[in-house]
Amino acid sequence: MTATVPASTTLKSYDKLFIGGTWVEPSSDKVIEVVSPITEELLATVPDAQPADIDKAVAAARKAFDDGPWPRMTAEERAKYLVRIQQEVEKRFDAMAAAFTAEIGAPAGASVAFHNNALKMWGDASTLHERFEFEEERSWADGHGKLVREPIGVVATIIPWNGPVATASLKIAPALAAGCTVVLKPAPEGPVSMMLLAEALEAAGLPEGVISLLPGGRETGEHLVRHKDVDKISFTGSTAAGRKIMSLCGERIARVTLELGGKSAGIIADDISLDKVFPALAFAGIGHSGQVCAAITRIVVPRHRQDEVVDTIKTIFESVSVGDPRDDSVAIGPLAAERQRTRVLDYIEVGKAEGARLVTGGGRPAGLNKGWYVEPTLFADVTNDMRIAQEEIFGPVVVVIPFDSIDEAVAIANDSDYGLSGAVYAEDAALAESIARRVRTGQISINGWDMCVTQPFGGYKQSGLGREGNVEGLSSFLETKLIQFAD
Ligand code: NAD
């Protein structure tokens, strides 16, 4: 395989934090070291935000919300800034996509797709005011008044590393459209694409204090969640962290939206040719090395078709190009971090110990001696009670689970703590829709798979709380007030 780009990429280092719209000296000299998952080389450093930096950013956001122009503008006026942000993101599109590939290891195609999603979200949020009633007249049996939807206040957004510019945009674009002010804490893994987002936000010229972006670790995140001047927390990340954050929010009844983990099922019915299912369904599990919350990692198949399905996926997994993600011909890159690779390899051992059959994969791809690579891995003879069928692995590991009836297929899909995404493949359209309706999940696709980010996105059960995207996402950044008129 020939790489079309040099083996080492340098990324821009940063020595300041983006607080309230300007670059500010950090409170400490602690830095985040950005290490390449491809070459294991140090690529850049950025400041590691500490609680004192968060305090500054929250104070700026509070002041901007309580006294500044942002919440008092019309939604149309704010939308003009969102258009400007979209333009500034577009100007930096290539740099962001390249940084994300270098620091997280996403193949070029996936990186471009994630950043396209970010553009879509800014575009969508800039038109929300055209299809949302911020105010309406209400009358009832013995009175009348106005229902007024007001920005919720200072919003803290905390996000993971697996698609940060897109994930951040899904939160901050509607939060800004609503009139909120925002403090955004990206994960310490892969912060450079986010610093480029901060540059785009700076260039868009939002009023002072409206937005801050401070990469930092878990304790910094927790400080932000606990902050009494933060009105709402919008979190994306693991279910474990979401549980902790929700309990902290409970202490002061802070508003919270949670976008958490998944273990989504793809159900294949009896009547459909596998040509119409694969290779797409196989990539729905291993694309971006399986580091996608909505990945389809359980493939649920009629028992008598299990061998046929397993053989098909095996052939795909063994022929897919795994390697340096900067090479355009590569479909699967490394995992984002060494600890992520260790976790995935541990799960592969768990699967073997549980008695599942390792069909292909399970280790480091031949010839890739550096970097956090794991081969696309397939397990068969899996029962849904196994840990590899129940727990989110967040790596390129797919399990095949057989069923004997459609009722059983639905029961398997639903026998999960999660409910984020899903897919159904059936020739019979009525059957496909009836299965889709019975699976308890936030989004489900028929005869294909996609994450739709401009429509409500979010999870049932432990996959989350609330929805992002479109007017449903906007609503989560608003409080509802009734003004009653006595006469
Ligand atoms: P993580 O939960 O460890 O970290 C996510 C973010 O939360 C990071 O910024 C981290 O610093 C911060 N954080 C962690 N613990 C915290 C705490 N107690 N208080 C405040 N902040 C805290 O998740 P990860 O391993 O970085 O990301 C992978 C997870 O994210 C997977 O479970 C994946 O499914 C999930 N995810 C979900 C969605 C979705 O939309 N549902 C999208 C992408 C990723």
Side-chain angles (χ1 to χ4, degrees):
M1 165 190 336
T2 337
T4 53
V5 283
S8 87
T9 306
T10 46
L11 290 178
K12 180 176 167 190
S13 287
Y14 290 80
D15 59 6
K16 293 200 169 62
L17 292 166
F18 185 67
I19 297 183
T22 47
W23 295 93
V24 172
E25 208 64 53
S27 67
S28 86
D29 56 7
K30 293 193 173 144
V31 294
I32 296 166
E33 293 194 333
V34 183
V35 174
S36 164
I38 309 163
T39 64
E40 304 177 27
E41 291 167 328
L42 181 66
L43 295 175
T45 58
V46 303
D48 184 1
Q50 301 299 306
D53 303 304
I54 292 287
D55 289 347
K56 245 187 220 170
V58 173
R62 186 79 258 166
K63 190 165 184 307
F65 187 79
D66 292 344
D67 307 323
W70 189 252
R72 288 152 199 93
M73 284 180 194
T74 64
E76 289 81 354
E77 285 169 328
R78 285 193 295 267
K80 289 185 187 134
Y81 284 90
L82 302 191
V83 171
R84 234 180 279 163
I85 296 170
Q86 186 192 34
Q87 289 163 350
E88 295 298 334
V89 170
E90 199 162 11
K91 282 185 203 163
R92 293 161 180 82
F93 188 99
D94 290 345
M96 282 179 181
F100 181 55
T101 292
E103 61 189 353
I104 292 297
S111 193
V112 166
F114 270 115
H115 291 84
N116 269 331
N117 272 346
L119 287 180
K120 272 193 220 168
M121 289 165 208
W122 288 104
D124 194 60
S126 68
T127 62
L128 279 169
H129 65 282
E130 294 166 8
R131 52 187 195 280
F132 186 80
E133 297 292 333
F134 281 87
E135 290 195 19
E136 59 185 274
E137 304 281 341
R138 283 279 172 102
S139 58
W140 51 98
D142 53 357
H144 71 109
K146 276 186 186 168
L147 207 59
V148 183
R149 297 184 179 89
E150 299 179 335
I152 218 164
V154 174
V155 172
T157 59
I158 299 178
I159 59 162
W161 42 265
N162 64 329
V165 175
T167 311
S169 301
L170 189 52
K171 295 181 181 308
I172 61 178
L176 292 176
C180 296
T181 57
V182 177
V183 177
L184 166 59
K185 189 206 80 65
E189 299 89 352
V192 175
S193 64
M194 293 304 290
M195 297 309 249
L196 290 163
L197 176 63
E199 291 182 2
L201 293 165
E202 180 191 22
L206 296 159
E208 189 184 337
V210 170
I211 189 145
S212 298
L213 189 154
L214 309 90
R218 176 168 306 212
E219 281 171 21
T220 300
E222 218 169 287
H223 183 77
L224 181 57
V225 171
R226 288 179 189 274
H227 207 296
K228 66 172 181 32
D229 283 336
V230 169
D231 297 294
K232 156 131 197 177
I233 289 90
S234 178
F235 173 74
T236 296
S238 61
T239 293
R243 197 174 286 125
K244 170 78 181 174
I245 286 170
M246 191 169 169
S247 73
L248 293 174
C249 289
E251 287 173 16
R252 57 186 185 90
I253 321 291
R255 277 68 179 134
V256 64
T257 296
L258 303 172
E259 294 289 349
L260 308 176
K263 191 78 187 179
S264 299
I267 299 176
I268 303 175
D270 227 354
D271 65 348
I272 191 156
S273 153
L274 292 190
D275 299 348
K276 297 187 180 171
V277 179
F278 295 107
L281 183 58
F283 284 102
I286 60 166
H288 194 15
S289 293
Q291 301 168 120
V292 177
C293 53
I296 305 292
T297 49
R298 293 184 295 152
I299 300 191
V300 185
V301 302
R303 190 175 300 280
H304 70 95
R305 302 189 77 180
Q306 185 177 203
D307 290 347
E308 182 195 1
V309 168
V310 167
D311 287 348
T312 306
I313 303 175
K314 178 176 187 290
T315 306
I316 296 166
F317 279 10
E318 289 176 359
S319 62
V320 72
S321 58
V322 182
D324 188 327
R326 294 166 296 177
D327 179 340
D328 281 345
S329 69
V330 160
I332 306 291
L335 292 162
E338 186 173 18
R339 93 180 140 78
Q340 192 64 23
R341 181 171 187 273
T342 306
R343 170 191 158 94
V344 172
L345 292 178
D346 285 350
Y347 266 110
I348 291 170
E349 291 311 309
V350 167
K352 289 188 215 163
E354 286 178 313
R357 176 163 55 96
L358 179 65
V359 177
T360 187
R364 184 181 274 283
L368 292 170
N369 300 321
K370 266 212 157 132
W372 315 130
Y373 292 96
V374 174
E375 293 170 296
T377 299
L378 178 67
F379 279 105
D381 300 332
V382 173
T383 55
N384 202 49
D385 57 347
M386 291 180 182
R387 284 182 60 199
I388 56 165
Q390 287 291 327
E391 297 176 18
E392 184 183 52
I393 297 174
F394 227 52
V397 182
V398 167
V399 304
V400 173
I401 306 170
F403 67 81
D404 293 308
S405 67
I406 289 295
D407 284 350
E408 192 190 356
V410 171
I412 290 169
N414 286 337
D415 174 21
S416 171
D417 286 342
Y418 297 111
L420 188 59
S421 181
V424 183
Y425 293 81
E427 209 57 73
D428 177 342
L431 173 69
E433 189 172 333
S434 78
I435 295 172
R437 285 176 182 273
R438 291 172 68 190
V439 178
R440 302 192 64 227
T441 191
Q443 282 196 355
I444 188 159
S445 307
I446 292 177
N447 295 344
W449 172 79
D450 202 3
M451 277 172 71
C452 181
V453 290
T454 51
Q455 292 298 324
F457 178 78
Y460 280 42
K461 300 186 270 182
Q462 293 187 31
S463 283
L465 188 70
R467 292 293 178 272
E468 296 189 319
N470 215 304
V471 292
E472 288 77 6
L474 176 68
S475 302
S476 77
F477 294 109
L478 297 166
E479 289 278 17
T480 303
K481 177 189 283 175
L482 178 71
I483 303 176
Q484 299 190 54
F485 298 108
D487 48 359

